[in-house]
C-alpha cells in the first residue's frame, strides 16, 4: 500500500512584537527596516489515499504551535509603500489516524515553516492598506506504522 499525504498549515498569529531597527519613526512613516517575533497555532485536516487499487482514503486532524522571527524592509515612493518580508518558524504541528488499511496508523508532523512575501500598500494616516503575494515552504514528515509482516 502506498500513501499520499497532503498537508498544509495556516498559522493563526497570537502575538506579534515589532522592534524598530534604526530609530522610532513617526506613526505614518512606513519606510525602513523592521524585525519582529511571532507565536501562533496551526490546524489542518490531512488525507491519506490508498493507491494499491482499493481507492479508499481516510483523514486525520493536525494541530499544534509555531513561533519564530520575521524581518522586512519597506520603501515609499509617490505615496505608495512597497515592501518585502521573510519569516522563519519552528513548529510542532502533528496528528495521526487510521490509514485506509486500518491495520496501519498514518501520521504527519511539521517542524519548520518559512515564508517570503512582497507587498504594495496605500498609507492612510496611521493605517496601511496593502495587498501581498508570497510563498511558503515547510518540512513535513509523513509516517505509517503497523504490523511488520502484513501484506
Amino acid at each position: 500500500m502506498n500513501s499520499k499525504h497532503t498537508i498544509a498549515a495556516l498559522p493563526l498569529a497570537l502575538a506579534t512584537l515589532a522592534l524598530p531597527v534604526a530609530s522610532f519613526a513617526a506613526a505614518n512613516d512606513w519606510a525602513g527596516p523592521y524585525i519582529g517575533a511571532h507565536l501562533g497555532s496551526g490546524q489542518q485536516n490531512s488525507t491519506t489515499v490508498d493507491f494499491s487499487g482499493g481507492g479508499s482514503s481516510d483523514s486525520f486532524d493536525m494541530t499544534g504551535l509555531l513561533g519564530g522571527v520575521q524581518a522586512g524592509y519597506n520603501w515609499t515612493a509617490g505615496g505608495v509603500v512597497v515592501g518585502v518580508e521573510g519569516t522563519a518558524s519552528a513548529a510542532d504541528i502533528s496528528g495521526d489516524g487510521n490509514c485506509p488499511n486500518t491495520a496501519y496508523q498514518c501520521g504527519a508532523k511539521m517542524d519548520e515553516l518559512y515564508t517570503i512575501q512582497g507587498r504594495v500598500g496605500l498609507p492612510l494616516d496611521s493605517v496601511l492598506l496593502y495587498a501581498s503575494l508570497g510563498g511558503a515552504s515547510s518540512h513535513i514528515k509523513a509516517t505509517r506504522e503497523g504490523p511488520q509482516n502484513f501484506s
Side-chain angles (χ1 to χ4, degrees):
M1 179 179 96
N2 293 326
S3 293
K4 176 185 176 187
H5 301 274
T6 304
I7 303 165
L10 175 62
L12 170 63
L14 298 178
T16 299
L17 172 64
L19 304 172
V21 174
S23 64
F24 291 96
N28 58 357
D29 182 6
W30 297 95
Y34 61 92
I35 59 173
H38 59 270
L39 176 65
S41 67
Q43 181 176 336
Q44 172 63 35
N45 182 272
S46 299
T47 302
T48 58
V49 178
D50 181 358
F51 289 107
S52 65
S56 61
S57 65
D58 203 354
S59 64
F60 58 92
D61 292 330
M62 293 177 55
T63 59
L65 298 175
L66 62 86
V69 296
Q70 70 261 7
Y73 197 94
N74 290 324
W75 297 267
T76 57
V80 174
V81 176
V82 178
V84 64
E85 177 178 292
T87 67
S89 304
D92 185 15
I93 300 173
S94 61
D96 57 35
N98 288 331
C99 292
N101 179 338
T102 57
Y104 290 88
Q105 188 80 3
C106 289
K109 179 178 180 177
M110 177 173 46
D111 57 9
E112 299 172 5
L113 176 66
Y114 304 96
T115 67
I116 188 158
Q117 68 179 10
R119 80 173 64 69
V120 176
L122 180 62
L124 302 173
D125 200 20
S126 62
V127 175
L128 178 65
L129 298 177
Y130 66 90
S132 66
L133 180 64
S137 176
S138 64
H139 179 257
I140 300 171
K141 180 179 180 183
T143 60
R144 182 180 70 183
E145 298 177 9
Q148 297 298 322
N149 297 322
F150 189 84
S151 56

